[in-house]
Protein backbone atom coordinates (compact mmCIF):
# COMPACT_ATOMS: atom_id res chain seq x y z
CA UNK A 1 0.00 0.00 0.00
CA UNK A 2 1.24 3.49 -0.84
CA UNK A 3 1.51 6.24 1.73
CA UNK A 4 -1.52 8.54 1.74
CA UNK A 5 -1.81 11.97 3.39
CA UNK A 6 -5.41 11.23 4.42
CA UNK A 7 -7.20 8.43 6.25
CA UNK A 8 -9.37 5.87 4.54
CA UNK A 9 -12.60 5.40 6.47
CA UNK A 10 -14.60 2.57 4.95
CA UNK A 11 -14.05 -0.86 3.50
CA UNK A 12 -15.03 0.48 0.08
CA UNK A 13 -12.52 3.33 0.32
CA UNK A 14 -9.81 0.82 1.27
CA UNK A 15 -10.81 -1.48 -1.60
CA UNK A 16 -10.51 1.38 -4.11
CA UNK A 17 -7.16 2.46 -2.61
CA UNK A 18 -5.76 -1.06 -2.93
CA UNK A 19 -6.25 -1.01 -6.70
CA UNK A 20 -2.87 -0.55 -8.43
CA UNK A 21 -4.42 1.63 -11.17
CA UNK A 22 -5.78 4.03 -8.55
CA UNK A 23 -2.47 4.04 -6.70
CA UNK A 24 -0.61 4.96 -9.89
CA UNK A 25 -3.10 7.75 -10.52
CA UNK A 26 -2.91 9.38 -7.10
CA UNK A 27 0.89 9.35 -7.18
CA UNK A 28 0.88 11.05 -10.61
CA UNK A 29 1.34 14.78 -11.07
CA UNK A 30 3.75 17.62 -10.74
CA UNK A 31 2.89 21.18 -9.69
CA UNK A 32 0.88 22.76 -12.52
CA UNK A 33 -1.74 25.45 -13.11
CA UNK A 34 -4.73 24.80 -10.88
CA UNK A 35 -2.88 22.04 -9.06
CA UNK A 36 0.20 23.52 -7.44
CA UNK A 37 0.09 20.70 -4.89
CA UNK A 38 1.52 18.27 -7.46
CA UNK A 39 0.50 14.62 -7.05
CA UNK A 40 -3.23 13.95 -7.16
CA UNK A 41 -3.23 12.51 -3.63
CA UNK A 42 -2.51 15.98 -2.23
CA UNK A 43 -5.43 17.45 -4.18
CA UNK A 44 -7.66 14.70 -2.78
CA UNK A 45 -6.45 15.69 0.70
CA UNK A 46 -7.51 19.29 0.07
CA UNK A 47 -10.92 18.24 -1.29
CA UNK A 48 -11.57 15.96 1.71
CA UNK A 49 -10.67 18.81 4.07
CA UNK A 50 -13.04 21.13 2.20
CA UNK A 51 -15.85 18.59 2.59
CA UNK A 52 -15.26 18.61 6.35
CA UNK A 53 -15.42 22.43 6.47
CA UNK A 54 -18.72 22.83 4.63
CA UNK A 55 -21.45 24.56 6.62
CA UNK A 56 -23.96 23.31 7.22
CA UNK A 57 -22.11 20.02 7.13
CA UNK A 58 -23.18 17.32 4.71
CA UNK A 59 -25.33 14.51 6.07
CA UNK A 60 -23.54 11.24 6.83
CA UNK A 61 -24.80 9.81 3.53
CA UNK A 62 -23.69 12.91 1.58
CA UNK A 63 -20.29 12.87 3.29
CA UNK A 64 -19.74 9.21 2.37
CA UNK A 65 -20.73 9.95 -1.24
CA UNK A 66 -18.55 13.06 -1.46
CA UNK A 67 -15.55 11.14 -0.14
CA UNK A 68 -15.97 8.43 -2.80
CA UNK A 69 -16.22 11.07 -5.53
CA UNK A 70 -13.13 12.82 -4.14
CA UNK A 71 -11.08 9.62 -4.14
CA UNK A 72 -11.61 8.91 -7.83
CA UNK A 73 -12.44 12.18 -9.61
CA UNK A 74 -8.91 13.17 -10.69
CA UNK A 75 -7.09 9.86 -10.19
CA UNK A 76 -6.99 9.02 -13.88
CA UNK A 77 -5.39 12.10 -15.38
CA UNK A 78 -2.34 9.94 -16.00
CA UNK A 79 -4.35 7.83 -18.46
CA UNK A 80 -5.24 10.75 -20.75
CA UNK A 81 -3.56 10.61 -24.15
CA UNK A 82 -2.02 14.08 -24.43
CA UNK A 83 -1.72 13.73 -28.22
CA UNK A 84 -5.52 13.70 -28.58
CA UNK A 85 -8.25 16.14 -27.51
CA UNK A 86 -9.20 15.72 -23.85
CA UNK A 87 -12.84 14.93 -24.56
CA UNK A 88 -15.11 11.90 -24.51
CA UNK A 89 -13.31 8.66 -23.73
CA UNK A 90 -10.01 10.57 -23.50
CA UNK A 91 -11.17 12.80 -20.62
CA UNK A 92 -9.90 11.96 -17.14
CA UNK A 93 -13.40 12.17 -15.67
CA UNK A 94 -14.78 9.61 -18.14
CA UNK A 95 -11.87 7.29 -17.37
CA UNK A 96 -12.49 7.82 -13.63
CA UNK A 97 -16.13 6.88 -14.07
CA UNK A 98 -15.24 3.70 -15.93
CA UNK A 99 -12.80 2.74 -13.17
CA UNK A 100 -15.33 3.63 -10.47
CA UNK A 101 -17.97 1.38 -12.03
CA UNK A 102 -15.96 -1.57 -10.67
CA UNK A 103 -16.61 -0.41 -7.10
CA UNK A 104 -19.49 2.05 -7.06
CA UNK A 105 -22.93 1.08 -8.31
CA UNK A 106 -24.85 4.29 -7.60
CA UNK A 107 -25.55 6.00 -10.96
CA UNK A 108 -25.76 9.43 -9.25
CA UNK A 109 -22.21 9.13 -7.91
CA UNK A 110 -20.94 7.82 -11.22
CA UNK A 111 -22.55 10.73 -13.07
CA UNK A 112 -20.99 13.25 -10.69
CA UNK A 113 -17.56 11.64 -11.09
CA UNK A 114 -17.93 11.86 -14.87
CA UNK A 115 -19.36 15.40 -14.87
CA UNK A 116 -17.39 16.92 -11.99
CA UNK A 117 -15.58 19.40 -14.28
CA UNK A 118 -18.61 20.33 -16.41
CA UNK A 119 -19.40 23.56 -14.54
CA UNK A 120 -15.74 24.62 -14.86
CA UNK A 121 -15.61 23.59 -18.53
CA UNK A 122 -18.79 25.58 -19.20
CA UNK A 123 -17.32 28.69 -17.53
CA UNK A 124 -14.11 28.20 -19.51
CA UNK A 125 -16.06 28.22 -22.78
CA UNK A 126 -17.44 31.64 -21.86
CA UNK A 127 -14.24 33.05 -20.39
CA UNK A 128 -11.89 31.95 -23.15
CA UNK A 129 -14.13 32.14 -26.19
CA UNK A 130 -16.80 34.65 -25.14
CA UNK A 131 -19.51 32.06 -25.76
CA UNK A 132 -21.48 32.75 -22.58
CA UNK A 133 -24.84 31.73 -24.03
CA UNK A 134 -23.42 28.37 -25.06
CA UNK A 135 -21.81 28.06 -21.62
CA UNK A 136 -25.19 28.52 -19.94
CA UNK A 137 -26.79 26.03 -22.35
CA UNK A 138 -24.19 23.49 -21.22
CA UNK A 139 -25.16 24.20 -17.62
CA UNK A 140 -28.80 23.58 -18.53
CA UNK A 141 -27.83 20.20 -19.99
CA UNK A 142 -25.85 19.44 -16.84
CA UNK A 143 -28.84 20.34 -14.65
CA UNK A 144 -31.11 18.17 -16.78
CA UNK A 145 -28.78 15.20 -16.48
CA UNK A 146 -28.06 15.39 -12.75
CA UNK A 147 -31.59 16.44 -11.77
CA UNK A 148 -32.28 16.12 -8.06
CA UNK A 149 -28.63 15.33 -7.32
CA UNK A 150 -27.70 18.99 -7.97
CA UNK A 151 -27.07 19.74 -4.26
CA UNK A 152 -24.54 16.90 -4.06
CA UNK A 153 -22.93 18.02 -7.34
CA UNK A 154 -22.73 21.60 -6.05
CA UNK A 155 -21.19 20.47 -2.75
CA UNK A 156 -18.54 18.52 -4.62
CA UNK A 157 -17.87 21.33 -7.09
CA UNK A 158 -17.23 23.68 -4.16
CA UNK A 159 -14.99 21.21 -2.35
CA UNK A 160 -13.02 20.57 -5.53
CA UNK A 161 -12.76 24.26 -6.45
CA UNK A 162 -11.84 25.85 -3.13
CA UNK A 163 -8.20 24.88 -3.21
CA UNK A 164 -5.27 27.25 -2.98
CA UNK A 165 -4.29 27.32 -6.64
CA UNK A 166 -7.69 27.30 -8.32
CA UNK A 167 -9.32 30.36 -9.87
CA UNK A 168 -12.55 31.23 -8.06
CA UNK A 169 -14.21 32.91 -11.08
CA UNK A 170 -15.83 29.62 -12.21
CA UNK A 171 -17.30 29.16 -8.72
CA UNK A 172 -18.83 32.64 -8.70
CA UNK A 173 -20.15 32.24 -12.23
CA UNK A 174 -21.72 28.83 -11.56
CA UNK A 175 -23.35 30.10 -8.36
CA UNK A 176 -24.77 33.09 -10.24
CA UNK A 177 -26.10 30.89 -13.06
CA UNK A 178 -27.77 28.61 -10.52
CA UNK A 179 -29.28 31.55 -8.65
CA UNK A 180 -30.75 32.92 -11.88
CA UNK A 181 -32.40 29.53 -12.36
CA UNK A 182 -33.83 29.59 -8.83
CA UNK A 183 -31.33 27.33 -7.06
CA UNK A 184 -29.77 28.42 -3.79
CA UNK A 185 -27.94 26.33 -1.23
CA UNK A 186 -27.19 27.17 2.41
CA UNK A 187 -23.68 25.72 2.08
CA UNK A 188 -22.85 28.14 -0.77
CA UNK A 189 -22.10 31.54 0.68
Amino acid sequence: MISLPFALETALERQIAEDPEWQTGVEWGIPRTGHLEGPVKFHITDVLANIERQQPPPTAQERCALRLIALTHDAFKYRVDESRPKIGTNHHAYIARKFSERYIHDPVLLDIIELHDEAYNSWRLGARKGRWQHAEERIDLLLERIGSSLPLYARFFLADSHTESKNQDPVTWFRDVLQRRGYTFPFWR
Side-chain angles (χ1 to χ4, degrees):
M1 184 62 165
I2 61 173
S3 174
L4 296 172
F6 53 86
L8 300 168
E9 296 184 352
T10 67
L12 181 53
E13 288 182 8
R14 286 186 287 280
Q15 188 180 13
I16 290 168
E18 289 170 359
D19 191 300
E21 288 182 70
W22 182 86
Q23 291 178 11
T24 299
V26 299
E27 292 289 349
W28 177 89
I30 58 172
R32 60 207 181 277
T33 302
H35 287 285
L36 295 179
E37 69 279 352
V40 171
K41 66 184 178 181
F42 297 118
H43 175 60
I44 293 170
T45 302
D46 291 343
V47 173
L48 293 172
N50 287 340
I51 291 166
E52 296 304 317
R53 284 192 284 270
Q54 288 184 345
Q55 290 299 322
T59 65
Q61 183 178 356
E62 287 172 326
R63 183 178 175 277
C64 181
L66 291 165
R67 286 183 59 85
L68 289 172
I69 297 164
L71 285 179
T72 61
H73 79 290
D74 276 356
F76 293 88
K77 289 186 173 191
Y78 80 101
R79 300 254 318 266
V80 172
D81 179 350
E82 296 292 330
S83 70
R84 296 180 24 226
K86 297 176 188 177
I87 58 173
T89 60
N90 193 45
H91 192 279
H92 74 275
Y94 175 85
I95 300 166
R97 181 201 175 108
K98 288 302 179 189
F99 168 85
S100 297
E101 287 173 353
R102 298 182 207 166
Y103 301 100
I104 300 169
H105 306 291
D106 182 336
V108 168
L109 301 188
L110 295 170
D111 280 349
I112 293 173
I113 291 166
E114 180 181 356
L115 300 169
H116 76 270
D117 277 341
E118 186 58 20
Y120 168 78
N121 291 337
S122 297
W123 167 84
R124 190 172 167 199
L125 180 64
R128 295 212 174 148
K129 297 186 178 181
R131 298 180 59 196
W132 291 108
Q133 181 177 345
H134 187 92
E136 291 202 26
E137 289 169 0
R138 281 181 67 158
I139 293 298
D140 290 334
L141 292 173
L142 171 67
L143 297 175
E144 185 177 315
R145 181 159 171 198
I146 62 176
S148 63
S149 60
L150 175 60
L152 188 64
Y153 181 92
R155 275 192 184 273
F156 184 76
F157 179 72
L158 286 174
D160 187 30
S161 299
H162 280 145
T163 59
E164 184 178 333
S165 59
K166 286 198 176 180
N167 180 351
Q168 294 306 294
D169 291 347
V171 175
T172 302
W173 176 80
F174 185 49
R175 183 198 61 219
D176 292 347
V177 170
L178 291 179
Q179 285 177 339
R180 286 195 305 275
R181 283 157 176 73
Y183 299 102
T184 58
F185 303 107
F187 54 83
W188 202 324
R189 303 181 202 290

